[in-house]
Amino acid sequence: MKIAKFLIVLILLTSCSKKTEHPYTFYYWKTKLSLELEEKKALNEVTTPYLYTRFFDIDKVNGRFEPVAVITKDLSFQTDKQIVPTVFITNPTFLNISMDEIQFLAKHVNDLIQKKITQYHLKVNQEIQIDCDWTAGTRDDYFNFLKELKKISGKEINCTLRLHQVKDKMQMGIPPVTKVYLMCYSTSSPLETSDKNSILDVNILKSYLSKLENYPIKKIDVALPIYSWGIVTNHLGKHKLINALSDKDLKNPNFKKISDHESEILKDGFYFGSYLNKGFKIKVEQVTSEQRNDVISFLDKKISQFNIIYYQLDSKFVSNQNFNLTSQFQGDF
């Protein structure tokens, strides 16, 4: 009898335990398309056929739409992955914009994407991803742009989704797309004085996404951070970023460790390509596999099956990383 009860409990526990594997790939966010050996190795191991590749940015300069940092291509950039053209557009681009300008912008964005595809013989899929941190004041014009780009390109147009756009969906609106890419990073500003990790604070993320299951668009993929940086603070409390620093970079005889991830400079000099003075402080921010797993386990309870896109494919960030993350959690009886 006891054995039978034990078996019933075991079956219940097993049936309520869910293990989910998430196919993954990367964002490629460099201006020059080129692949180092570590990057090629990481890309060859991805479990989806796509590479989300930034083609250019769009900003408004003196009232004119300007493409910024348009991609070039090196011969080393060879991949069998399908490229998903991705374009970042600044939010001010959509301030005080007319419908004629929206149509003009959509046409020229599509033309430049197609030009680069042809010029560099890129194998692309039938999707364009637009990345914009739109606000309540720009949402209608931005959404009109997405519709216009779909009409002009004939492709599936999807977009990124920031945490605050989920939390404040009534004010931010719901974009006219079939799929969104949830950006699970930048939980706060690195240029503000804080003891939080500005790249990813899991508790902040969970508070913003507490009602994610109610978001009207159900097709959601997830962008997770693998990048790191150092935040330098000067004597006046001003901050600046140095890309790709990690804790090991703080192991320097000219630095004094003042916390687990922060050091004080003891001697003026050039460090990491910048001249830094004695007394400046450097705080390293990076994200662990445990933090990413925590996010994935949380999201598995909120949304259905999703792919992961790691930001970003760079030899500084992909070495010695485990990208085949799975989550396992106990469901409700």
Side-chain angles (χ1 to χ4, degrees), residues 123-142:
K123 181 176 73 173
V124 298
N125 74 338
Q126 291 299 307
E127 178 183 2
I128 296 172
Q129 183 184 132
I130 301 298
D131 179 19
C132 178
D133 189 7
W134 82 85
T135 57
T138 59
R139 70 176 201 179
D140 292 339
D141 290 321
Y142 174 56

Side-chain angles (χ1 to χ4, degrees), residues 82-287:
Q82 295 180 46
I83 301 296
V84 180
T86 302
V87 176
F88 172 75
I89 306 179
T90 65
N91 185 54
T93 298
F94 294 102
L95 290 172
N96 303 315
I97 188 173
S98 69
M99 194 61 208
D100 285 345
E101 289 175 315
I102 289 172
Q103 293 169 344
F104 173 89
L105 180 61
K107 180 182 185 306
H108 282 76
V109 165
N110 183 64
D111 288 348
L112 187 50
I113 290 172
Q114 298 309 313
K115 178 181 177 181
K116 290 300 164 183
I117 290 171
T118 302
Q119 182 180 355
Y120 296 136
H121 308 289
L122 299 175
K123 181 176 73 173
V124 298
N125 74 338
Q126 291 299 307
E127 178 183 2
I128 296 172
Q129 183 184 132
I130 301 298
D131 179 19
C132 178
D133 189 7
W134 82 85
T135 57
T138 59
R139 70 176 201 179
D140 292 339
D141 290 321
Y142 174 56
F143 293 172
N144 282 332
F145 167 80
L146 294 176
K147 294 175 186 175
E148 196 65 28
L149 183 59
K150 180 179 179 64
K151 187 190 308 180
I152 290 171
S153 68
K155 293 193 173 185
E156 181 181 355
I157 306 300
N158 292 315
C159 70
T160 57
L161 182 67
R162 303 297 201 279
L163 302 180
H164 72 94
Q165 292 161 348
V166 175
K167 182 180 179 182
D168 302 323
K169 64 179 182 292
M170 295 302 292
Q171 294 85 1
M172 295 298 131
I174 308 302
V177 297
T178 58
K179 180 179 180 181
V180 288
Y181 294 83
L182 181 62
M183 314 299 274
C184 290
Y185 48 87
S186 297
T187 47
S188 58
S189 170
L191 302 181
E192 296 175 356
T193 301
S194 172
D195 59 352
K196 304 291 187 184
N197 185 326
S198 66
I199 295 176
L200 175 61
D201 184 288
V202 177
N203 288 330
I204 292 176
L205 177 139
K206 288 179 179 179
S207 71
Y208 271 87
L209 301 181
S210 62
K211 303 296 184 183
L212 177 61
E213 65 271 22
N214 297 329
Y215 197 75
I217 298 173
K218 299 304 180 185
K219 197 172 182 182
I220 300 175
D221 278 351
V222 173
L224 286 176
I226 56 173
Y227 64 94
S228 64
W229 55 35
I231 303 173
V232 179
T233 305
N234 68 11
H235 299 110
L236 300 175
K238 301 293 185 181
H239 308 292
K240 81 169 188 174
L241 297 179
I242 298 179
N243 189 41
L245 292 194
S246 63
D247 286 335
K248 68 177 183 290
D249 292 309
L250 299 186
K251 295 177 180 178
N252 186 310
N254 294 330
F255 296 172
K256 178 179 73 175
K257 185 175 180 179
I258 56 178
S259 71
D260 287 344
H261 305 289
E262 190 172 14
S263 292
E264 183 177 328
I265 297 173
L266 302 176
K267 182 180 178 181
D268 294 352
F270 279 96
Y271 304 101
F272 321 116
S274 297
Y275 190 83
L276 306 177
N277 295 110
K278 177 182 177 181
F280 283 19
K281 295 176 181 178
I282 305 177
K283 174 189 174 186
V284 165
E285 293 188 337
Q286 51 196 6
V287 179

Side-chain angles (χ1 to χ4, degrees), residues 1-10:
M1 189 69 175
K2 287 183 178 179
I3 294 175
K5 286 182 178 179
F6 173 78
L7 289 174
I8 291 171
V9 171
L10 183 62

Side-chain angles (χ1 to χ4, degrees), residues 205-206 209-210 293-302:
L205 177 139
K206 288 179 179 179
L209 301 181
S210 62
N293 264 322
D294 193 357
V295 171
I296 290 170
S297 294
F298 170 78
L299 292 176
D300 273 330
K301 301 171 188 177
K302 296 287 183 181

